Amino acid sequence: MMNVNEMNALVLKGARNFSIEKVSFPVPDSDEVICQVDTTYICGTDPHIIAGDFPNFWPTEFPFIPGHEWSGIIVEAGPKAFKLGWKQGDRVCGISHCGCGYCEMCQKGRYNICLNYGHEERGHRQYGHYTPGAYAQYMRTSVKSIFRVPDSMSLEYAACVDPLSIALYTVKRSRMQPGDDVLILGTGPQGLMAILCAKALGAGRIFAAGSGERLNKAEKLGAIPINYLDFDVVESVKSMTNGKGIPAVLECAGTSQSIQQACLSAAKGGVVSVIGIPHSDPTLPLKHMVLNEIELIGNRANPNTAQEAIDLLLNNRVDLQPLMTHRFALTEFKTALDTYEKRKDGAIKVAVKPNGMN
């Protein structure tokens, strides 16, 4: 048992209203562990949660502790967690989703769309969204949502497993085959990680539509760049594929325009795999999609891909170092968030260290 009563955490009290405060130390349920957090990365969803863009949903109430891309060390394990093989000193990383484990979707392994979503009393959790998260010195989590970090991997590196496994899921859902051309719309962290995953899974040419420094980064990672500010994305794709289009299209930008472009860039029989969440629903070219048998697939989070992502990192099939750009102490969260949102100094993955810099 930890002999600690309080800890420091980022407490969100309303839209754009947050501060670092002392909060009660978490107590684990039987199948939960308490982890000392090493690193929490700022996810693209975090600024929207902090800005109040999902009222009464993410989070459902205030005050609230956000953060869900994290890693740390177990300091306490509940009785069932201990019997399941988790113990003090284990190095772990986490994902945000925790299904109830009992519903039809969970039984199928699709816990990311658990039928008991939002019902903590039935065992569902989504850490950092409506269940307290990892911008804190210690994190309470179900063992269903953690994965072992090999001794050879740094915890700071492992904290990227959540977003990397989401990118991997998005690539896999496109049903890309080795040698296939791939188009990725959006060159933010998800788009850049999708480039790395597509490459690791044997993609042929990888096209990336974006702009600015992040498009330059995509090119350095091996993508063929398309600057959407200067060129028509669909026409560019058609000209580089002899008019065929792309069999596997990954939509990582989340704008109405980019989703339309994704659908129009797909080859006959192609798949558009979407991870971006648009603010407003786009108008889809449905006639074109029906006549060309183009599939549109929505993706939510990362069911069953976190361990695969760890293995890709462990075996050097994916190198995240070029994306890990900034580190801040938790006490500097305001600066960290500003750096991330304004993309200062080429910011891509911005790390927050709740227990200080090490």
Side-chain angles (χ1 to χ4, degrees), residues 68-83:
H68 61 274
E69 297 183 3
W70 69 278
S71 64
I73 298 172
I74 294 177
V75 295
E76 185 180 343
K80 188 173 181 180
F82 181 77
K83 288 176 183 175

Side-chain angles (χ1 to χ4, degrees), residues 188-206:
Q190 274 299 303
L192 295 173
M193 288 187 183
I195 292 171
L196 296 174
C197 290
K199 214 166 150 184
L201 297 187
R205 294 179 296 176
I206 301 173

Side-chain angles (χ1 to χ4, degrees), residues 17-334:
N17 179 9
F18 60 83
S19 59
I20 308 300
E21 297 181 5
K22 293 282 186 187
V23 300
S24 297
F25 190 84
V27 177
D29 280 344
S30 181
D31 66 344
E32 294 180 328
V33 295
I34 306 298
C35 300
Q36 184 179 49
V37 178
D38 180 271
T39 303
T40 308
Y41 279 98
I42 297 178
C43 169
T45 310
D46 289 343
H48 292 291
I49 291 172
I50 290 167
D53 292 343
F54 308 105
N56 303 314
F57 183 61
W58 293 342
T60 50
E61 60 184 4
F62 299 106
F64 182 69
I65 301 170
H68 61 274
E69 297 183 3
W70 69 278
S71 64
I73 298 172
I74 294 177
V75 295
E76 185 180 343
K80 188 173 181 180
F82 181 77
K83 288 176 183 175
L84 287 167
W86 300 97
K87 63 185 186 305
Q88 188 175 346
D90 286 349
R91 303 166 80 248
V92 300
C93 58
I95 60 173
S96 76
H97 280 267
C98 173
C100 73
Y102 299 101
C103 73
E104 182 182 352
M105 288 295 107
C106 285
Q107 291 289 304
K108 291 177 179 178
R110 304 187 72 177
Y111 54 85
N112 57 319
I113 47 175
C114 173
L115 296 180
N116 286 313
Y117 186 95
H119 290 277
E120 289 193 328
E121 76 281 4
R122 300 178 193 170
H124 185 274
R125 310 278 188 273
Q126 191 177 8
Y127 300 105
H129 291 71
Y130 81 93
T131 307
Y135 288 125
Q137 288 183 289
Y138 294 90
M139 171 77 181
R140 172 190 174 190
T141 176
S142 165
V143 296
K144 288 185 283 187
S145 301
I146 56 174
F147 299 83
R148 298 184 190 279
V149 175
D151 290 341
S152 59
M153 188 183 296
S154 76
L155 286 171
E156 189 166 297
Y157 205 58
C160 276
V161 163
D162 180 78
L164 179 64
S165 58
I166 293 172
L168 179 59
Y169 183 62
T170 305
V171 174
K172 290 178 69 174
R173 293 263 288 173
S174 76
R175 299 201 299 278
M176 181 206 88
Q177 297 299 306
D180 278 353
D181 283 346
V182 174
L183 169 64
I184 296 169
L185 293 104
T187 50
Q190 274 299 303
L192 295 173
M193 288 187 183
I195 292 171
L196 296 174
C197 290
K199 214 166 150 184
L201 297 187
R205 294 179 296 176
I206 301 173
F207 301 94
S211 65
E213 284 184 48
R214 290 182 167 185
L215 183 60
N216 294 336
K217 178 69 76 173
E219 186 173 15
K220 287 176 184 174
L221 294 177
I224 298 166
I226 302 172
N227 189 328
Y228 72 89
L229 297 177
D230 297 332
F231 299 96
D232 183 288
V233 173
V234 179
E235 289 305 314
S236 297
V237 164
K238 296 290 186 183
S239 69
M240 289 187 280
T241 59
N242 296 320
K244 290 182 180 178
I246 306 283
V249 181
L250 314 178
E251 204 297 305
C252 302
T255 69
S256 293
Q257 183 184 24
S258 64
I259 292 171
Q260 287 178 329
Q261 290 170 340
C263 295
L264 292 170
S265 297
K268 288 186 175 183
V271 176
V272 179
S273 183
V274 181
I275 193 63
I277 303 175
H279 287 295
S280 58
D281 286 333
T283 301
L284 295 176
L286 273 179
K287 181 180 176 181
H288 169 82
M289 295 171 72
V290 169
L291 293 177
N292 292 287
E293 290 201 346
I294 293 165
E295 295 178 55
L296 183 65
I297 293 176
N299 305 295
R300 185 168 188 174
N302 46 0
N304 311 305
T305 51
Q307 187 58 54
E308 294 173 356
I310 290 170
D311 292 339
L312 287 174
L313 293 173
L314 190 61
N315 294 298
N316 298 314
R317 302 298 185 204
V318 169
D319 178 13
L320 292 176
Q321 291 293 345
L323 308 186
M324 298 163 63
T325 56
H326 292 75
R327 309 162 82 237
F328 295 92
L330 180 64
T331 52
E332 303 172 298
F333 184 82
K334 188 175 182 180

